[in-house]
Amino acid sequence: MPVYTSACPRNCYSTCSLRVTVEGGRITALDAHPGNEATPEGPCLKGLSYLERVEPASRILTPLLRGPDGNFTPLGWDAALDLMAERFLAVRSRFGPQAVLYYAGSGTKGMLNGAGMDFWRRFGGCTSTYGDLCWPAGLEATRLTLGDNRHSAPWDLARAGLIVMWGKNAAETNVHQMLFVDRALARGGRLVVIDPRRTGTADKAALLVQPRPGTDGALALGLAHVLIRDGFVDRAFVDAHVLGYEAYAARVASWTPERAQEATGVPAAEVEALARELGTRGPVTICAGFGMQRYTNSGQTMRAILALLALTGNLGRPGAGWVYANLQSDVFSAVKDPLDFYPPEVPDGVARISISTARLGRDMAAQTDPPLKAAWVERGNPLSQNPETHRVREAFRALDFRVVVDERLTDTAREADLVLPSKSLFEQTDVIGAYWHPYLQIRQKVVEPPGEVKPETEIYWHLAKRMGLPSEGLVPPGGEEAWLEARLSRFPGLTLDRLKEGPVLAPGAEEVAFRDLAFPTPSGRIELLSEEAARRWGVDPLPGFAPPEESGPGPYPLRLLTPNHKNSIHSQFITLDVIRALDPGPRLLMGPADAEARGLRQGDRVRVFNDRAELTLPVHLDLSLAPGCVVAFNGYGETHGGSVNRLSLGRETDMGHGAAFHDNLVDVEGAR
Ligand SMILES: Nc1nc2c(c(=O)[nH]1)N[C@H]1C(S)=C(S)[C@@H](COP(=O)(O)OP(=O)(O)OC[C@H]3O[C@@H](n4cnc5c(=O)[nH]c(N)nc54)[C@H](O)[C@@H]3O)O[C@H]1N2
Ligand SMILES: Nc1nc2c(c(=O)[nH]1)N[C@H]1C(S)=C(S)[C@@H](COP(=O)(O)OP(=O)(O)OC[C@H]3O[C@@H](n4cnc5c(=O)[nH]c(N)nc54)[C@H](O)[C@@H]3O)O[C@H]1N2
Ligand SMILES: [Mo]
């Protein structure tokens, strides 16, 4: 039986290496690949569910055209290509290329994803999006402070004396990281979790600190106050490697534990205790998740948390550091392309307008010169995953022509005029990086695409021909391996054949990040004081705290958190039978006091609402939730009763153009 090396290309920290068994043209088993020291335990439940996910019976296998009655009927590729060529060219000649929106989400990783923009450049340009739904506030805060987004290898965590999981639920979103947490605990290390919820990760912790959502910046300022007051600062490290210490010390002088308690709800004694842990149990690694950087104040919050490591000298040493995003293996990613983050400043030679991903619906509707007339969506499900889905829906409905490329009829695909079937990870070879471990990997073609399925690169190549656009430089059908080899050639020794044997450490990957203590910031030091932060984002040059924009008092007393969920990757996997059989389905987690105040009991159906929209869900009492806080996981869509993003507002974070999903107040009442 042939067994192939591959890797899971989902937008997930773990990016597991796989060994894929193929029998009779079908995938029959998925196992761990021993060449990846970060993912030795193999695929998670979602990974194993690929056996169902890639089966033809559960997918779209031909282009589908929506008829006047709203139903989809299969269409041949010739007719689909003719239709697209005619409609997109008509829009271009009347309104210009920017009347077409090109929207790409994070559905899959791969170098070949770049084919999309390569095509639209040849089209003469388009309207594209800037920013990102995921992590940019934290990326930008890290870049401003340390100069670069990289961190030590996953296994270095086993050497930590203290691990702080701060707004990260690794037990569900980065399951392989827990192996290294366990190793650290077995060696006598400690785990602290900082999260308004008691998560699966918190079950392993010696201490769970539960700040009011969106107030972590104040907690970090209070911790810095105690570290300085009690002499836990590593003066030699600070003098040599930190810019802005004196100014920051002055800033936190007023942030007593009592003031931090008032801002965060964390008892002053707990602030003191946590500061002592940070000061005495080193080496300290802070695994900062993405939870607390989904607020309007979150870039500043992340800078304040980073400052704790700078003050205590916990950077550049084994077992110490800031584990946020490790782009060492992300050598080909668009994330590294400043174009995607700051497009307004970086012209790329084609007519291009950029609108905000976080404000997608509003910005689409507001665009007038030229107005948007058509859209192409791939690897994304903005009608479920972007804030304010009702506005995104309205903006899509106002267009004349919409194409969505996806495996199945998602909330977004259901709004399309034409749905094109997309390939699975086993049907086209590509090369991927990761954002947690330092390996480059191949995602190999091991089976033929079923039905009429064509990879995106092939769709673009045919469409370019149909439209009379230059196809030179696009990936011709069957030409992806040659195209990939050409791009790998700048990394000596890195070939597809080598990757087919197993994962390869990225060139220059460091086991202990910043070991040389060279920080590529303007000053060459860790910047607590960042002039660039002030210049680029208009924030205070020092980390500080301002409450999230949606903070009481007002008509909506409850903060809605909508984190990621064990059983899905955003809107992916959650509709599969094997997952549904194990998943409790969408529900609203609520503390008993908040439920009782509203006369609600376990299992009651409730209306969750604000002035944007409403959602009906069953209530699940969660004894660990802080009062004033309710939780519903993102990823469920219309077939499950609607996305949580009906309730969120299209609003950017203070830096990085991220989406402030959790800056979201609601109320809850019994549903009639
Ligand atoms: N199973 C699974 N794994 C995934 C994903 C998935 O959808 N499902 N998605 C992948 C992707 S794209 C991402 S971005 C990552 C995200 O993975 P994580 O970094 O773990 O991010 P979130 O689930 O957004 O939030 C983590 C925690 O932050 C908490 N939180 C919310 N607000 C606050 C706050 O104000 N302060 C603090 N301290 N905590 C807060 C939430 O309660 C939650 O438990 O996971 C990746 N892995
Ligand atoms: N309220 C709230 N909303 C959130 C979040 C939150 O914490 N709270 N988290 C945000 C985060 S962190 C993220 S990363 C985003 C994710 O947002 P998206 O990237 O839009 O979401 P996904 O559901 O992961 O993937 C989108 C689609 O890609 C498709 N897809 C997968 N592989 C391929 C492929 O090879 N080709 C094509 N054409 N399509 C493919 C999938 O079938 C899926 O329908 O969601 C964000 N939304
Ligand atoms: Mo994400």
Side-chain angles (χ1 to χ4, degrees):
M1 269 169 320
V3 178
Y4 300 93
T5 297
S6 192
C8 178
R10 302 281 81 88
N11 181 358
C12 172
Y13 295 99
S14 296
T15 315
C16 298
S17 301
L18 303 173
R19 282 161 54 86
V20 186
T21 307
V22 180
E23 287 172 278
R26 290 182 60 201
I27 316 289
T28 55
L30 293 168
D31 299 290
H33 192 296
N36 186 331
E37 286 183 49
T39 64
E41 296 170 306
C44 67
L45 175 65
K46 299 177 292 298
L48 295 172
S49 77
Y50 281 126
L51 264 49
E52 175 184 342
R53 176 168 166 168
V54 303
E55 276 297 306
S58 80
R59 293 166 57 183
I60 298 169
L61 300 177
T62 66
L64 295 174
L65 182 69
R66 193 158 55 140
D69 59 356
N71 291 326
F72 287 99
T73 47
L75 188 71
W77 272 110
D78 268 338
L81 289 165
D82 283 343
L83 176 68
M84 289 190 282
E86 183 212 313
R87 300 298 296 267
F88 285 123
L89 290 176
V91 167
R92 187 179 73 174
S93 69
R94 178 125 186 254
F95 300 98
Q98 306 101 316
V100 179
L101 171 71
Y102 169 58
Y103 181 87
S106 71
T108 195
K109 294 194 253 259
M111 277 171 87
L112 291 169
N113 285 347
M117 198 41 94
D118 284 350
F119 172 85
W120 293 106
R121 281 198 191 96
R122 285 167 175 77
F123 183 71
C126 61
T127 289
S128 60
T129 51
Y130 64 84
D132 183 284
L133 298 174
C134 190
W135 54 349
L139 289 179
E140 183 63 359
T142 306
R143 189 187 68 80
L144 290 167
T145 309
L146 303 180
D148 197 9
N149 277 281
R150 53 188 139 101
H151 65 66
S152 301
W155 43 91
D156 180 64
L157 192 62
R159 297 192 278 222
L162 180 71
I163 298 171
V164 184
M165 287 278 177
W166 199 319
K168 177 169 185 179
N169 182 15
E172 300 194 356
T173 60
N174 188 184
V175 289
H176 294 84
Q177 190 176 37
M178 296 310 283
L179 179 68
F180 305 106
V181 171
D182 285 343
R183 287 189 187 157
L185 296 183
R187 293 178 174 196
R190 300 252 285 188
L191 173 67
V192 172
V193 171
I194 305 180
D195 198 308
R197 302 190 293 142
R198 179 172 175 153
T199 58
T201 313
D203 289 345
K204 299 226 167 186
L207 177 65
L208 169 64
V209 177
Q210 293 184 283
R212 271 196 292 275
T215 67
D216 300 75
L219 177 60
L221 292 165
L223 290 167
H225 173 98
V226 180
L227 290 172
I228 293 171
R229 185 198 67 193
D230 291 356
F232 290 125
V233 171
D234 181 339
R235 277 316 295 237
F237 183 88
V238 165
D239 289 346
H241 306 295
V242 177
L243 181 76
Y245 172 75
E246 299 301 335
Y248 194 58
R251 154 72 40 96
V252 301
S254 65
W255 277 95
T256 59
E258 291 69 30
R259 185 175 173 199
Q261 170 175 337
E262 201 172 308
T264 64
V266 176
E270 220 169 90
V271 178
E272 302 258 4
L274 180 54
R276 239 183 342 268
E277 296 273 302
L278 288 168
T280 57
R281 283 195 190 267
V284 180
T285 297
I286 297 181
C287 300
F290 302 168
M292 68 282 185
Q293 56 94 60
R294 306 194 197 282
Y295 295 83
T296 42
N297 62 7
S298 52
Q300 285 293 75
T301 297
M302 297 300 268
R303 291 180 65 212
I305 300 173
L306 266 155
L308 301 171
L309 296 171
L311 294 176
T312 52
N314 275 299
L315 284 154
R317 292 202 288 135
W322 174 249
V323 172
Y324 181 71
N326 193 11
L327 301 189
Q328 301 195 62
S329 67
D330 219 31
V331 286
F332 316 109
S333 160
V335 174
K336 288 228 147 169
D337 179 357
L339 209 67
D340 275 24
F341 277 83
Y342 321 117
E345 300 165 33
V346 190
D348 66 346
V350 293
R352 179 124 101 107
I353 294 175
S354 243
I355 61 175
S356 167
T357 308
R359 288 193 308 264
L360 185 66
R362 285 168 188 262
D363 277 17
M364 282 177 73
Q367 185 166 320
T368 51
D369 187 20
L372 287 175
K373 293 291 171 189
W376 178 290
V377 177
E378 66 183 40
R379 292 176 270 127
N381 189 4
L383 267 92
S384 163
Q385 292 312 114
N386 294 48
E388 257 183 320
T389 44
H390 57 290
R391 280 191 194 264
V392 182
R393 185 182 305 277
E394 278 164 24
F396 268 82
R397 288 192 174 165
L399 302 175
D400 295 339
F401 187 57
R402 295 144 288 227
V403 175
V404 172
V405 192
D406 209 300
E407 279 170 25
R408 47 202 79 236
L409 282 179
T410 62
D411 287 2
T412 308
R414 264 185 234 107
E415 294 291 325
D417 300 282
L418 183 64
V419 181
L420 304 177
S422 82
K423 89 286 181 189
S424 83
L425 72 155
F426 303 117
E427 295 155 16
Q428 182 182 38
T429 294
D430 206 341
V431 175
I432 65 176
Y435 55 89
W436 172 58
H437 62 60
Y439 293 104
L440 287 166
Q441 305 192 69
I442 195 165
R443 189 196 79 197
Q444 259 190 102
K445 174 171 177 175
V446 298
V447 292
E448 287 301 323
E452 301 289 307
V453 171
K454 290 185 195 305
E456 289 83 346
T457 48
E458 217 170 294
I459 302 174
Y460 283 122
W461 194 83
H462 287 297
L463 193 53
K465 294 256 169 210
R466 247 353 114 107
M467 289 182 172
L469 305 177
S471 59
E472 196 191 329
L474 294 177
V475 184
E480 45 277 86
E481 296 219 352
W483 191 93
L484 292 167
E485 289 282 15
R487 270 143 198 89
L488 289 181
S489 62
R490 69 186 161 102
F491 300 104
L494 191 64
T495 59
L496 292 181
D497 280 342
R498 173 66 193 85
L499 288 166
K500 284 175 187 172
E501 287 165 23
V504 176
L505 286 175
E510 308 164 312
E511 178 152 303
V512 175
F514 302 111
R515 185 135 215 186
D516 56 2
L517 299 173
F519 297 94
T521 57
S523 65
R525 295 172 174 223
I526 300 165
E527 297 208 345
L528 299 186
L529 184 79
S530 167
E531 294 302 338
E532 190 185 349
R535 201 172 56 244
R536 193 185 276 281
W537 304 107
V539 298
D540 192 318
L542 288 171
F545 174 70
E549 265 172 35
E550 282 193 24
S551 297
Y556 305 108
L558 299 172
R559 183 170 295 283
L560 175 63
L561 302 185
T562 52
N564 294 324
H565 180 35
K566 175 170 68 177
N567 293 333
S568 75
I569 293 288
H570 310 293
S571 67
Q572 306 190 55
F573 298 102
I574 198 74
T575 54
L576 299 176
D577 290 342
V578 59
I579 300 287
R580 286 179 87 133
L582 294 162
D583 186 65
R587 43 193 197 155
L588 185 77
L589 311 186
M590 196 173 198
D594 287 320
E596 200 178 327
R598 291 165 179 77
L600 301 172
R601 289 157 173 255
Q602 172 77 7
D604 283 356
R605 289 193 73 73
V606 295
R607 205 169 77 87
V608 189
F609 63 97
N610 58 23
D611 55 5
R612 298 184 274 270
E614 65 175 60
L615 199 60
T616 304
L617 294 168
V619 132
H620 181 82
L621 295 184
D622 180 338
L623 291 154
S624 75
L625 258 188
C629 178
V630 289
V631 176
F633 296 109
N634 78 80
Y636 298 104
E638 292 300 317
T639 55
H640 280 101
S643 162
V644 290
N645 283 315
R646 289 182 184 179
L647 295 157
S648 56
L649 178 70
R651 172 159 52 193
E652 290 189 3
T653 51
D654 56 352
M655 53 183 74
H657 306 297
F661 288 108
H662 301 328
D663 224 314
N664 188 0
L665 293 179
V666 299
D667 205 349
V668 173
E669 63 179 24
R672 257 150 287 142

